[in-house]
Amino acid sequence: MARDPSSIRADFPVLERRIGDHPLVYLDNAATTQTPTQVYEIYEEYYSTYNANVHRGIHALSHEASVAYEEAHDRLAEFVGASGGREELVFTKNATESINLVAYGLGLNELGPDDEIVTTEMEHHASLVTWQQVAKKTGADVRYVRVTDDGHLDMDHAAELIGPDTAIVSVVHVSNVLGTVNPVETLADLAHEHDAHILVDGAQSIPNRPVDVEAMDADFFTFSGHKMAGPTGIGGLYGKRDLLEEMDPFLYGGEMIRNVTLTESSWNGLPWKFEAGTPPIAEGIALAAAADYLEEIGMDAIRDHENALAQYALERLADREGVETYGPPAGEERTGVVAFNVDGVHGHDLSSLFNDRGIAIRAGDHCTQPLHDILAIPGSARASFYVYNTTDEIDLLLDAIDAAPDELEDYLASDRYHDAIAEHHEHPHNAGGLAEPTFTKSSEETSCGDDGEFHVAVAPDGTIERLAFESESCAVSTAVASVLTEYLEGKPLSAAAELDGVVADLLEETFPDIRHDCVVGPEEVIREGAREFLETRSESEIPTSQ
């Protein structure tokens, strides 16, 4: 890079923090990057010198705010390569809202039962869930391009799926789990050959590589500010001007209107017709400053730095037994995202152990449950690097990975946890399934990366005769599942349906706040399972013990 990471780190005061006795090692950048002084000073400048609403006041502050906000649109349009300027760049809340804007403004109006939406198996829920719902409302069919064993899109399969009935292709530019950089230009060509529109989800690409929406021929391109050294609460949607002009607004109200009577309304010009109400003024202006900051470093340099860090991590993880990584192997270009698992240590436990060393990573499904199902894993740990990260920090991560299996039992037996956690971890009660349960309830649909299942045998008098569990969840959730089976056995099923804070009471509230979801999760699963079962049975079928 034109600037070395040490000088860049000086722009991010948060990196001077200590977590306990350790310096912060922030490796959760795919979720949210840190914000440099140069960006949040612009944010503060707005509030301290010209805070006013835009396009509504005939006074100096409103004029200054309006000009800065409009110029921020121009700056982001330039940043993504949109020659149409502000008229092709809509500010939204985030990439999720940008996708929804297209889905509701275009998809709901144009799609029907004869149409197909083609997306991929590696999509973020922001895209995948949105298109599922549009398909349900319109009768359109959603089809998914396969992911290969080495973490790429199967382009032969894509060519088969994208055909004359395809109306919309929606593809993530970069996978937030695999780090794969997808050939969006080729997919755009396939889409346009069949007169389909293509939406590119750029949330994971715009922070770390040059983006040129016109070169890739994207019809729409979405992104979030908080992943590109900008503030939260702001994102963007690039759209070709003719398409944005044809689309209906997604939200209605002030600012997005040109004329209103008691019976009719007409819409404002682009991009304002899609920005109803008071917009994210300070956030938009600060996002333009983030674009300036990144471009000053150099987007080519950021791309190369991230790839180098990923290669460094992948090469060393490949030498470690019991560690599995996902996505393109070492030697292939990728972004600075490395997802992995360590045998015998669930991602949640890894994350807690790493936190004790000041290392921040992500653990779970990363809003890609279908992709994790395809990978046949309940979740993964994810380290993600950015402009300010170094190989020294990766070495600290590697040391933490090496120590994790040996540190887990001591961690669970520490005074942060009730003794029951360590006891049930070492000697689980009722582990394993039942041959003929009355009903089962799985936790695999949760978004945290836990995967467990309760098996319940209900006696004729309505009591829980036997209760067991199978688990690929973290050690804490697994121990809590064991605690619950011991507590509920012999009680009426209605007691399970009425659980509310029982686990916290049994553990005397002795567990770290950061593991709260791991502790309450199993209780929520068995409670929901009991309620669902009772709702399907009459009182005469399942008597309630007094």
Side-chain angles (χ1 to χ4, degrees):
M1 290 189 290
R3 295 177 60 193
D4 65 272
S6 61
S7 71
I8 291 173
R9 290 176 68 85
D11 297 335
F12 297 83
V14 69
L15 299 179
E16 296 300 315
R17 270 202 65 178
R18 298 187 70 83
I19 306 299
D21 296 329
H22 299 274
L24 171 65
V25 177
Y26 187 78
L27 304 179
D28 193 19
N29 296 287
T32 293
T33 56
Q34 297 301 327
T35 307
T37 304
Q38 292 90 326
V39 172
Y40 61 71
E41 282 181 347
I42 295 296
Y43 189 89
E44 292 175 350
E45 180 184 14
Y46 165 79
Y47 281 111
S48 63
T49 62
Y50 61 103
N51 177 18
N53 217 321
V54 295
H55 303 155
R56 299 181 187 182
I58 311 300
H59 57 81
L61 268 63
S62 179
H63 174 70
E64 291 173 14
S66 298
V67 170
Y69 186 64
E70 290 169 2
E71 289 178 346
H73 285 74
D74 293 335
R75 182 67 186 93
L76 268 299
E78 178 187 27
F79 191 68
V80 301
S83 60
R86 69 185 66 167
E87 293 183 337
E88 294 187 323
L89 202 290
V90 180
F91 279 162
T92 61
K93 184 170 61 180
N94 46 38
T96 300
E97 185 175 285
S98 297
I99 294 169
N100 274 267
L101 192 159
V102 177
Y104 281 79
L106 182 71
L108 283 183
N109 291 328
E110 292 196 6
L111 296 179
D114 296 329
D115 293 315
E116 294 173 351
I117 303 164
V118 175
T119 185
T120 82
E121 293 178 337
M122 65 171 67
E123 296 304 302
H124 190 280
H125 293 167
S127 175
L128 192 150
V129 174
T130 301
W131 294 117
Q132 279 182 350
Q133 299 312 304
V134 168
K136 288 180 180 179
K137 293 177 184 293
T138 62
D141 185 31
V142 183
R143 310 183 79 189
Y144 298 93
V145 179
R146 289 190 294 261
V147 175
T148 64
D149 292 341
D150 60 357
H152 294 286
L153 289 180
D154 184 336
M155 293 303 291
D156 290 335
H157 189 226
E160 292 175 12
L161 292 184
I162 300 172
D165 294 328
T166 303
I168 293 175
V169 175
S170 183
V171 60
V172 64
H173 194 179
V174 168
S175 168
N176 72 323
V177 174
L178 305 173
T180 309
V181 183
N182 287 321
V184 291
E185 296 88 348
T186 303
L187 289 163
D189 289 342
L190 288 171
H192 294 149
E193 284 175 11
H194 298 284
D195 296 322
H197 301 308
I198 182 167
L199 180 150
V200 178
D201 175 0
Q204 295 292 336
S205 62
I206 197 171
N208 54 55
R209 62 198 49 246
V211 166
D212 188 332
V213 293
E214 293 182 358
M216 69 176 67
D217 202 13
D219 295 305
F220 303 99
F221 184 91
T222 68
F223 58 93
S224 288
H226 69 98
K227 296 181 188 292
M228 53 178 288
T232 59
I234 180 77
L237 168 69
Y238 158 79
K240 290 181 178 176
R241 179 172 176 168
D242 60 329
L243 294 175
L244 292 177
E245 287 177 337
E246 293 172 7
M247 286 167 53
D248 287 336
F250 174 43
L251 298 171
Y252 299 91
E255 178 68 12
M256 53 76 61
I257 47 83
R258 184 179 302 279
N259 184 60
V260 179
T261 71
L262 292 177
T263 57
E264 296 287 342
S265 298
S266 60
W267 313 138
N268 205 343
L270 295 175
W272 319 122
K273 87 170 186 179
F274 294 110
E275 296 187 19
T278 297
I281 304 168
E283 289 83 355
I285 296 168
L287 183 57
D292 289 341
Y293 179 82
L294 295 179
E295 209 155 72
E296 186 271 329
I297 296 172
M299 298 310 298
D300 289 324
I302 295 172
R303 176 197 60 206
D304 295 344
H305 179 66
E306 277 204 19
N307 181 57
L309 291 177
Q311 300 301 329
Y312 183 89
L314 286 169
E315 290 168 2
R316 284 150 184 79
L317 288 171
D319 294 335
R320 285 165 163 79
E321 292 186 6
V323 178
E324 183 177 11
T325 60
Y326 309 100
E332 293 189 28
E333 183 193 358
R334 60 191 289 158
T335 60
V337 171
V338 177
F340 62 94
N341 275 315
V342 177
D343 282 353
V345 188
H346 190 277
H348 290 175
D349 300 316
L350 280 174
S351 188
S352 290
L353 291 168
F354 293 174
N355 185 64
D356 284 351
R357 294 169 175 251
I359 301 171
I361 67 160
R362 197 72 156 193
D365 280 326
H366 321 305
C367 293
T368 56
Q369 290 182 25
L371 176 60
H372 279 81
D373 290 341
I374 289 162
L375 296 172
I377 52 176
S380 60
R382 183 186 71 189
S384 48
F385 316 122
Y386 203 40
V387 291
Y388 36 68
N389 291 126
T390 66
T391 55
D392 289 342
E393 291 180 308
I394 294 176
D395 289 338
L396 292 173
L397 172 71
L398 296 168
D399 290 343
I401 290 172
D402 293 340
D406 293 332
E407 290 182 347
L408 180 58
E409 290 193 11
D410 289 341
Y411 166 74
L412 296 174
S414 69
D415 57 10
R416 288 173 288 186
Y417 288 98
H418 192 278
D419 291 343
I421 293 293
E423 292 169 4
H424 282 262
H425 168 69
E426 189 172 353
H427 304 291
H429 186 76
N430 289 330
L434 300 179
E436 296 183 2
T438 307
F439 70 90
T440 63
K441 180 60 179 177
S442 174
S443 67
E444 65 183 2
E445 70 272 14
T446 63
S447 60
C448 66
D450 272 344
D451 189 355
E453 187 170 73
F454 283 104
H455 292 212
V456 184
V458 182
D461 66 353
T463 59
I464 299 173
E465 188 173 30
R466 291 196 62 196
L467 183 63
F469 71 95
E470 295 178 334
S471 178
E472 291 183 54
S473 302
C474 65
V476 173
S477 286
T478 301
V480 169
S482 175
V483 169
L484 274 172
T485 62
E486 187 175 62
Y487 170 80
L488 288 171
E489 207 164 55
K491 288 184 169 58
L493 186 59
S494 58
E498 295 166 3
L499 288 173
D500 185 13
V502 167
V503 170
D505 290 341
L506 291 172
L507 299 181
E508 300 175 305
E509 300 285 348
T510 307
F511 52 85
D513 287 342
I514 61 173
R515 301 306 297 271
H516 177 267
D517 289 348
C518 303
V519 170
V520 303
E523 180 178 299
E524 293 173 351
V525 172
I526 189 61
R527 180 178 66 225
E528 184 177 347
R531 288 178 178 177
E532 289 174 355
F533 181 76
L534 288 171
E535 287 172 1
T536 64
R537 299 293 189 274
S538 67
E539 292 184 4
S540 60
E541 291 176 296
I542 302 293
T544 301
S545 298
Q546 300 299 316

